[in-house]
Amino acid sequence: MREQGLYIGGGWVAAPENRPVADKWTGDIIGTVAVADAAASRAAVDAAARALAAGLPVPERSRALARVGELMGEHAEEFAQLITAETGKPITASRAEVGRAITTVQLSAEEAKRLPGETVPLDAVAGGADTLAFTIPIARGVVAAITPFNFPLNLLMHKVGPALAAGCPVLVKPSDHAPLTAGLLVSLFHEAGLAAGWINLVTGPPDVVVGAWQDDDRVAVITFTGSSKVGWALKAASPRKLHVLELGSNTAMVVADDADVARAARAATDAALGNSGQACVSLQRVYATRGVSERFVAALAALVADTQAGDPRLEGTVVGPLISAEARDRLVSWIDSAVASGARVAAGGSVVDGVLAPTVLVDVPRQSPLVCEEAFGPVVSVVVVDDVAEAIAEVNSADFGLNTSIYTADLAVAMRYARTAEAGSVLVNMPPSFRADHMPYGGVKGSGQGLEGVKYAVADLLQEKLVVLHA
């Protein structure tokens, strides 16, 4: 039973009220979390602004981040069990997330020592003689980090780690579905000796907490991972701030006639069902060319039907409960609507013990929400196309563009897809859900703006200030 307050200015403080947090599978109460008001939200900004004014030398930032990585390793199983309890994520996926988050904070500790700057050859133009010019990296300021439930530790670390590496104090607003995981992480920063005000945790209603931060000019950056609707609304409400937005998608994969069918089907299964399909790069649409579609659907359906769903604490479980009954029921209604419009269920489609079974649909109408919108669950739709050219047109018809992939043995086809697919990342003969924590990661169109990946996130949080010296 965890009782979590707010973390502001280097210490835990109480809030006017608290709310319970329940285990996603059992329904048991596992803790309470503070519900902040606007005054507490402003107090967190006050603390962060004081920290920014005081500064924190690079070696201290790097040491604190490295120490947190060590502490996370010591608490790895505690993190994994807490993630599974709060979100219903299968325990094997929770453990994998903890490992990735440790890598992310280690990368951040190293990146703090490599802040960029460059010399500028002013003597290359008239009037530049006898000058020395260079840029120095300056932290943009206080960063507000707003994170989702689906990767409550690693996505938080992708915001906190680069911000601290860049010299930016952080305000953390975790998802209401996973506040305790964020609290455990913040407690490790406290144990690591991070100076007061450099990380602040505020839990409570988003309109109250984030609203106070949007209206405060001392908050220079809002970094948000979540739905497209919310992300673009944040930007519209505070246009003078820098926004780093990692938003939704309806990820697509193309299977060409010459693809390795078994390999493609295995990749599609993993990409569609990993994390119970609750990831922005979860595979949602497969465009299979006509010559391979029947074999691919048969292989995919067999793998999906054999996937274990249910209790997230069982080692073999791949698909657990969705984050809420409302999310599950929405997907069920989308499946029913698609079937009523002519789609065929090749696997799954039912709800067992409150869990939506892993599902494959074929011949889904192109106007179905399962194709046009973000499903965020263990459902993948297969659409048959005549050729790769048609597949590319279908992929690009979406308003999203995060990751996409193609399975083909033809290098020319792969390169054409890489050049023309509208996405932040194109993967060839790899699942579209792939992400390494140091690679540039971000989307186009409705999928957001800015990049994650520690080095690239740090660059977003720095301004280059030019210094010119004259002899």
Side-chain angles (χ1 to χ4, degrees):
M1 187 70 179
R2 298 171 182 268
E3 297 179 356
Q4 181 173 298
L6 309 172
Y7 188 81
I8 298 174
W12 294 98
V13 298
E17 62 178 297
N18 301 282
R19 67 170 180 85
V21 178
D23 184 288
K24 193 59 62 180
W25 179 250
T26 67
D28 296 336
I29 301 302
I30 59 174
T32 62
V33 64
V35 179
D37 56 14
S41 302
R42 289 191 294 270
V45 182
D46 294 340
R50 289 193 298 269
L52 180 66
L56 190 64
V58 167
E60 291 186 32
R61 297 180 223 159
S62 182
R63 278 197 298 268
L65 288 163
R67 179 58 182 147
V68 167
E70 295 171 355
L71 291 170
M72 289 174 68
E74 297 171 12
H75 292 265
E77 186 61 17
E78 183 181 0
F79 270 115
Q81 294 291 342
L82 187 54
I83 292 168
T84 293
E86 285 198 289
T87 69
K89 175 179 287 195
I91 188 63
T92 52
S94 294
R95 290 176 180 137
E97 179 182 350
V98 175
R100 287 183 59 191
I102 292 172
T103 297
T104 302
V105 73
Q106 291 170 338
L107 290 167
S108 299
E110 290 302 311
E111 205 60 43
K113 306 172 187 176
R114 293 192 288 261
L115 301 185
E118 63 178 358
T119 58
V120 181
L122 292 188
D123 58 355
V125 298
D130 298 322
T131 62
L132 173 64
F134 54 92
T135 63
I136 56 175
I138 303 295
R140 288 188 178 273
V142 175
V143 172
I146 307 165
T147 57
F149 71 85
N150 55 328
F151 288 89
L153 182 60
N154 195 37
L155 291 185
L156 177 55
M157 189 57 76
H158 267 287
K159 300 182 185 304
V160 171
L164 295 178
C168 298
V170 192
L171 310 169
V172 173
K173 168 62 178 77
S175 166
D176 289 342
H177 292 290
L180 298 178
T181 299
L184 178 56
L185 176 62
V186 168
S187 73
L188 298 189
F189 274 102
H190 181 88
E191 184 176 345
L194 182 66
W198 282 87
I199 188 167
N200 304 273
L201 173 67
V202 185
T203 50
D207 58 335
V208 173
V209 176
V210 180
W213 297 346
Q214 286 178 307
D215 294 338
D216 196 317
D217 289 340
R218 294 173 297 174
V219 178
V221 181
I222 293 179
T223 173
F224 170 81
T225 299
S227 74
S228 294
K229 179 180 179 181
V230 173
W232 296 119
L234 286 171
K235 182 177 180 180
S238 49
R240 293 184 63 180
K241 300 184 189 300
L242 173 69
H243 292 79
V244 180
L245 304 176
E246 299 296 337
L247 307 179
S249 190
N250 54 359
T251 301
M253 184 172 96
V254 175
V255 182
D257 277 351
D258 61 355
D260 182 328
V261 170
R263 183 179 174 189
R266 179 74 264 172
T269 302
D270 294 342
L273 305 184
N275 204 45
S276 304
Q278 296 178 122
C280 48
V281 287
S282 291
L283 177 61
Q284 189 171 324
R285 302 176 287 154
V286 178
Y287 295 100
T289 53
R290 202 166 299 280
V292 78
S293 59
E294 286 190 17
R295 287 184 292 134
F296 174 78
V297 169
L300 176 64
L303 289 168
V304 170
D306 195 41
T307 300
Q308 183 172 314
D311 186 343
R313 287 185 174 83
L314 297 179
E315 296 287 340
T317 297
V318 175
V319 173
L322 295 184
I323 195 62
S324 67
E326 292 78 13
R328 179 200 63 211
D329 294 344
R330 171 184 57 82
L331 266 183
V332 170
S333 71
W334 285 9
I335 292 168
D336 292 343
S337 175
V339 171
S341 300
R344 172 173 62 88
V345 177
S350 59
V351 175
V352 180
D353 295 331
V355 176
L356 176 60
T359 300
V360 178
L361 293 166
V362 185
D363 299 327
V364 181
R366 285 166 170 78
Q367 69 274 17
S368 168
L370 291 171
V371 173
C372 298
E373 301 180 33
E374 184 175 34
F376 226 65
V379 181
V380 60
S381 300
V382 181
V383 178
V384 180
V385 293
D386 288 332
D387 52 31
V388 172
E390 183 183 356
I392 293 172
E394 293 288 349
V395 169
N396 291 346
S397 68
D399 186 43
F400 301 106
L402 193 49
N403 281 15
T404 188
S405 73
I406 185 169
Y407 277 77
T408 178
D410 190 327
L411 181 58
V413 170
M415 290 305 298
R416 180 175 54 157
Y417 192 72
R419 287 191 299 269
T420 59
E422 296 172 355
S425 298
V426 175
L427 297 111
V428 178
N429 295 324
M430 293 179 67
S433 56
F434 174 80
R435 178 183 180 183
D437 292 294
H438 63 300
M439 77 184 200
Y441 176 82
V444 299
K445 300 193 289 188
S447 289
Q449 61 183 27
L451 290 174
E452 288 189 347
V454 175
K455 171 184 175 181
Y456 306 92
V458 168
D460 269 346
L461 300 178
L462 294 172
Q463 300 179 87
E464 285 192 287
K465 178 180 285 188
L466 180 68
V467 179
V468 181
L469 305 179
H470 194 280

